[in-house]
Amino acid sequence: QTLGMVCLKAAICGDADARALAGERLEVIMDALQAHQRDTALVGVCFGALVNMTISSVCSQRVVDEGHAALVVTAMGAYQDHAEIVNSCLRILANLMRFNRLHTRILALDVCDALVHALTPRGGSPHVIKACFVLITQVCVASKHARADLVEQNTAKAVRAAMTKHQEDKELMFH
C-alpha cells in the first residue's frame, strides 16, 4: 500500500493494521532523518512523507509524543536554504496544529520564532510564505499568548516584506 493510503485508512477508518504500519513507517522515517542529515534530497522526501502522515490524528499524536515535532522546528532553521524542506516542515506543523489537544505542546517549541525566521531569510519562496501564513493563522487562533509573541516579534513587518517581495503572486496576496 502507498503511504497515502495507509495514512488515510489510519485517519478515517481507525484501521488497526494501518495504524501499526504507519507507526513502523514513522520509525523508519525518523531513523533516516537522524542517520542522513546531510542528504537533503532524502531529508526532503522524509519530511514530505511526514506531511501526509500528520494528517492522521493518531500519527500526529505520536509525532508529538515521541518528540519529533521538536525536530521539525529545528529542521526549519537547519535547512533554511532548502525551501521545499522548510515548506514541508511548516505544513507538518500546520497539520499538528489542527488538533486542539496538541496546541500547547507545539507552541512550546518556539514555533513563533521559527515562523518569523522562515518569513525573513532571503524573502522565502511563495510556497514557504503561504505555508507561513496558514501556520500564523492557526497559531493566532490557538493562543492569545502566541498571538502576542508574534506581535512582539514584528511578524506583521515580516509578512508585509514577504508580500511586497512577491507582489506578482496574486494567490499569495489573497491568502
Side-chain angles (χ1 to χ4, degrees), residues 3 6 8 12 17 21 37 41-42 50 52 56 66 69-70 72-73 84 107 133 138 155 158 161 175:
L3 180 60
V6 169
L8 189 60
I12 295 173
D17 291 335
L21 186 55
Q37 296 173 14
L42 180 63
L50 280 176
N52 291 326
S56 158
E66 295 178 10
V72 173
V73 174
E84 285 304 317
L107 293 173
F133 289 176
Q138 289 175 304
T155 306
H175 200 62

Coordinates of all heavy atoms in Angstrom, one line a residue, residues 3 6 8 12 17 21 37 41-42 50 52 56 66 69-70 72-73 84 107 133 138 155 158 161 175:
L3 N 1.9 5.0 1.1 CA 1.9 5.7 2.4 C 0.6 6.5 2.5 O 0.0 6.6 3.6 CB 3.2 6.6 2.5 CG 3.3 7.4 3.8 CD1 3.4 6.5 4.9 CD2 4.5 8.3 3.7
V6 N -2.2 4.2 3.5 CA -2.0 3.8 4.9 C -2.5 4.9 5.9 O -3.3 4.7 6.8 CB -0.6 3.4 5.2 CG1 -0.4 3.2 6.7 CG2 -0.2 2.1 4.5
L8 N -4.5 7.4 5.2 CA -5.9 7.6 5.0 C -6.7 6.6 5.8 O -7.7 6.9 6.5 CB -6.3 7.5 3.5 CG -7.7 8.0 3.1 CD1 -8.0 9.4 3.5 CD2 -7.9 7.8 1.6
I12 N -9.2 7.7 8.7 CA -10.6 7.7 8.5 C -11.2 6.4 9.2 O -12.2 6.5 9.9 CB -10.9 7.7 7.0 CG1 -10.5 9.0 6.4 CG2 -12.4 7.4 6.8 CD1 -10.6 9.0 4.9
D17 N -4.4 -2.2 11.7 CA -3.2 -2.6 10.9 C -2.6 -1.4 10.2 O -1.4 -1.3 10.2 CB -3.6 -3.6 9.8 CG -4.0 -5.0 10.4 OD1 -3.6 -5.3 11.5 OD2 -4.8 -5.7 9.7
L21 N 1.2 -0.1 10.8 CA 2.1 0.1 9.6 C 2.6 1.6 9.6 O 3.8 1.8 9.3 CB 1.4 -0.3 8.3 CG 2.3 -0.3 7.1 CD1 3.5 -1.1 7.2 CD2 1.4 -0.8 5.9
Q37 N 21.3 13.2 7.8 CA 21.0 14.7 7.9 C 21.6 15.5 6.7 O 21.1 16.6 6.4 CB 21.5 15.2 9.2 CG 20.8 14.6 10.4 CD 21.4 15.0 11.7 OE1 22.2 16.0 11.7 NE2 21.1 14.3 12.7
A41 N 18.2 15.6 -0.3 CA 17.1 15.0 -1.1 C 16.4 14.0 -0.2 O 15.1 14.0 -0.2 CB 17.7 14.3 -2.3
L42 N 17.1 13.2 0.5 CA 16.4 12.2 1.4 C 15.6 12.9 2.5 O 14.5 12.5 2.8 CB 17.4 11.2 2.0 CG 16.9 10.2 2.9 CD1 15.9 9.3 2.2 CD2 18.0 9.4 3.6
L50 N 6.1 12.8 6.0 CA 5.6 13.2 7.3 C 4.4 14.2 7.1 O 3.5 14.2 7.9 CB 6.6 13.9 8.2 CG 7.5 12.9 9.0 CD1 8.6 13.7 9.7 CD2 6.7 12.0 9.9
N52 N 2.1 13.9 4.9 CA 1.0 13.1 4.7 C 0.6 12.3 5.9 O -0.6 12.2 6.2 CB 1.3 12.0 3.6 CG 1.4 12.7 2.2 OD1 0.7 13.6 1.9 ND2 2.3 12.2 1.4
S56 N -3.3 12.3 9.9 CA -3.9 11.4 10.8 C -3.7 11.9 12.3 O -2.6 12.2 12.6 CB -3.3 10.0 10.7 OG -3.5 9.2 11.8
E66 N 6.5 11.5 20.8 CA 7.9 11.0 20.7 C 8.9 12.1 20.5 O 10.1 11.8 20.2 CB 7.9 9.9 19.6 CG 7.1 8.7 19.9 CD 7.1 7.6 18.8 OE1 7.8 7.8 17.8 OE2 6.3 6.7 18.9
A69 N 8.2 16.5 16.8 CA 7.8 17.8 16.4 C 8.9 18.8 16.7 O 9.1 19.8 15.9 CB 6.6 18.2 17.2
A70 N 9.7 18.6 17.7 CA 10.9 19.5 18.0 C 11.9 19.4 16.9 O 12.5 20.4 16.5 CB 11.5 19.1 19.3
V72 N 11.2 18.8 13.8 CA 10.6 19.6 12.7 C 11.0 21.0 12.8 O 11.4 21.7 11.8 CB 9.1 19.3 12.6 CG1 8.5 20.2 11.5 CG2 8.8 17.8 12.3
V73 N 10.8 21.6 14.0 CA 11.1 23.0 14.2 C 12.6 23.3 14.0 O 12.9 24.3 13.4 CB 10.6 23.5 15.6 CG1 11.0 24.9 15.9 CG2 9.1 23.3 15.7
E84 N 11.9 23.7 -0.1 CA 11.0 22.6 -0.1 C 10.9 21.9 1.3 O 9.9 21.5 1.8 CB 11.3 21.5 -1.2 CG 10.9 22.0 -2.6 CD 9.4 22.3 -2.7 OE1 8.6 21.6 -2.1 OE2 9.1 23.4 -3.3
L107 N 3.2 24.8 20.5 CA 3.5 26.2 20.8 C 4.7 26.3 21.7 O 5.5 27.3 21.7 CB 2.3 27.0 21.3 CG 1.2 27.2 20.3 CD1 0.0 27.8 20.9 CD2 1.7 28.0 19.1
F133 N 1.8 31.7 6.3 CA 0.5 32.4 6.6 C -0.5 31.5 7.2 O -1.2 31.8 8.1 CB -0.1 33.0 5.3 CG 0.7 34.2 4.7 CD1 0.3 34.7 3.5 CD2 1.8 34.7 5.4 CE1 1.0 35.8 3.0 CE2 2.5 35.8 4.9 CZ 2.1 36.4 3.7
Q138 N -3.2 29.7 12.3 CA -3.5 28.7 13.3 C -3.0 29.1 14.7 O -3.6 28.9 15.7 CB -2.9 27.3 12.9 CG -3.7 26.8 11.7 CD -3.0 25.5 11.2 OE1 -1.8 25.5 10.9 NE2 -3.8 24.4 11.2
T155 N 6.1 40.3 13.5 CA 5.7 39.4 12.4 C 4.9 40.1 11.3 O 5.1 39.8 10.2 CB 4.8 38.3 13.0 OG1 5.5 37.7 14.1 CG2 4.4 37.3 12.0
A158 N 7.4 41.4 8.9 CA 7.9 40.4 8.1 C 6.9 39.9 7.0 O 7.3 39.6 5.9 CB 8.4 39.2 9.0
A161 N 6.8 42.6 4.3 CA 8.0 42.5 3.5 C 8.0 41.3 2.5 O 8.3 41.4 1.3 CB 9.3 42.3 4.4
H175 N -4.2 35.2 0.2 CA -4.1 34.0 1.1 C -4.4 34.4 2.5 O -4.0 35.4 3.0 CB -2.8 33.3 0.9 CG -2.9 31.9 1.4 ND1 -3.7 31.0 0.8 CD2 -2.2 31.3 2.4 CE1 -3.6 29.8 1.4 NE2 -2.7 30.0 2.4

